[in-house]
Amino acid sequence: MKQIFLSLIAASFFALPVSAHEGHDHDGPAMVQAPKGGVIKSLEEVHVEVVSKGKDIKVYLYNKDLKPADASQFKIKLKAELPRSKKTEELTYKTEAHHLEASFDAKGAHRYNLIVLITDAKQGHEDKLTFTVEPRK
């Protein structure tokens, strides 16, 4: 009986998964918390956050350390795409120091895609980010 009990205990040690630190993935990419509560996506040199309320859209730019980035060092195009028609509309925007402000009427659609085409003057290549926006009042 002792041998069966000891063998069960020994078998349970080998059956348990081995983990050095539970909840920590040192090799995985770090999650970036959106400072303004929107949706954030990362590129090599910049983080882009989109915040929308109703028809109003704000696009915030941050450097690698999540400090506000100078919006004038980027060439940016904003486009909106309604889901059913797949037709895109280029948006005009106003540039503030660290963010862009635009407006888009989703024409009653419950969601649309905001496409951000961004070119960094330092890197010289264009990146495309797509955000799914659900307009709320």
Side-chain angles (χ1 to χ4, degrees), residues 87-106:
K87 193 167 116 178
T88 61
E89 179 182 326
E90 191 158 338
L91 304 180
T92 57
Y93 60 86
K94 179 172 70 169
T95 305
E96 298 295 328
H98 304 296
H99 71 278
L100 314 172
E101 293 181 4
S103 181
F104 177 68
D105 182 7

Side-chain angles (χ1 to χ4, degrees), residues 1-57:
M1 186 69 155
K2 260 188 193 179
Q3 286 180 331
I4 295 172
F5 181 70
L6 290 175
S7 63
L8 285 175
I9 291 176
S12 68
F13 283 118
F14 294 111
L16 294 176
V18 177
S19 176
H21 299 283
E22 192 173 322
H24 296 285
D25 185 6
H26 296 284
D27 296 329
M31 288 292 292
V32 178
Q33 188 71 21
K36 303 288 183 185
V39 177
I40 194 163
K41 294 191 179 188
S42 301
L43 298 171
E44 294 88 14
E45 298 294 322
V46 67
H47 299 288
V48 179
E49 179 182 13
V50 172
V51 178
S52 69
K53 184 175 182 184
K55 295 179 184 179
D56 298 327
I57 303 166

Side-chain angles (χ1 to χ4, degrees), residues 57-102:
I57 303 166
K58 291 186 180 181
V59 179
Y60 295 90
L61 304 171
Y62 305 101
N63 65 15
K64 289 182 194 179
D65 301 322
L66 284 179
K67 303 286 186 227
D70 182 10
S72 66
Q73 71 178 344
F74 300 96
K75 181 181 175 188
I76 299 173
K77 289 183 184 175
L78 298 177
K79 295 181 180 183
E81 177 185 65
L82 291 171
R84 293 198 177 151
S85 68
K86 297 293 183 189
K87 193 167 116 178
T88 61
E89 179 182 326
E90 191 158 338
L91 304 180
T92 57
Y93 60 86
K94 179 172 70 169
T95 305
E96 298 295 328
H98 304 296
H99 71 278
L100 314 172
E101 293 181 4

